[in-house]
Amino acid sequence: MLYEFLIAYAALLGLSAICRSRQMLRVSLAMLGNWLANSLFVAATGDFAPWPWFACVDFLTALVILKNPAGKWQSAIGWVYIAQIVMHFCFAATNNPDGIYPYWLWLTRLAWVQIILVAAWGIGGGLRAGIHRLFGRPHHPVPHGMAGMEP
């Protein structure tokens, strides 16, 4: 599962470069940093349910993403991180060692939702940019006089 996420994050970084979006690049880098920090922590400690660590890293990632969001897509991605934080605390409140499988299942699902949201944001933005490059700007009325008539 690790390689799929790494490939997905690399694809998001490439999409950010193609779309020339600084906001999307910031979000993609924040998501990659989040994944690296959490994966390295689990690998180093062997703890597969470090919910306090995950909650802190997700909180920092949400702050980075939600700081001056570029629009609804970026806000939605940040709110998915907020949902993850709530999920971490719900997992801790249940204190059920058998609940680790559903916990990881939902973490994985939410991570894919975030990846899909960034991809949809990028594809939508990339399509708009491509259409503008192909066809130029749509016709705009002349900004002076009535119907562009000169006095």
Side-chain angles (χ1 to χ4, degrees):
M1 184 60 89
L2 291 178
Y3 294 115
E4 291 92 351
F5 279 113
L6 192 55
I7 291 167
Y9 291 129
L12 293 181
L13 290 172
L15 186 61
S16 302
I18 290 170
C19 293
R20 297 180 186 146
S21 171
R22 288 184 185 171
Q23 293 288 353
M24 190 182 306
L25 181 62
R26 181 177 67 160
V27 169
S28 299
L29 286 172
M31 289 171 61
L32 175 63
N34 177 290
W35 178 78
L36 285 172
N38 288 336
S39 297
L40 291 174
F41 185 85
V42 169
T45 63
D47 183 3
F48 288 97
W51 68 267
W53 171 266
F54 286 168
C56 290
V57 173
D58 286 348
F59 177 74
L60 293 173
T61 305
L63 284 178
V64 169
I65 291 173
L66 291 173
K67 183 179 187 258
N68 298 323
K72 292 177 184 176
W73 287 108
Q74 189 171 350
S75 294
I77 296 159
W79 280 101
V80 173
Y81 274 103
I82 301 298
Q84 273 184 236
I85 294 167
V86 170
M87 191 189 71
H88 296 312
F89 285 104
C90 289
F91 171 75
T94 62
N95 198 16
N96 180 2
D98 296 329
I100 196 163
Y101 175 75
Y103 177 63
W104 275 98
L105 181 67
W106 281 103
L107 280 177
T108 303
R109 287 177 178 169
L110 288 174
W112 283 114
V113 166
Q114 293 160 341
I115 289 168
I116 290 168
L117 286 171
V118 176
W121 176 24
I123 290 169
L127 286 175
R128 278 194 310 273
I131 289 169
H132 285 295
R133 280 188 219 120
L134 274 175
F135 301 110
R137 291 181 151 181
H139 175 70
H140 288 47
V142 179
H144 61 281
M146 290 183 57
M149 296 171 51
E150 297 292 327

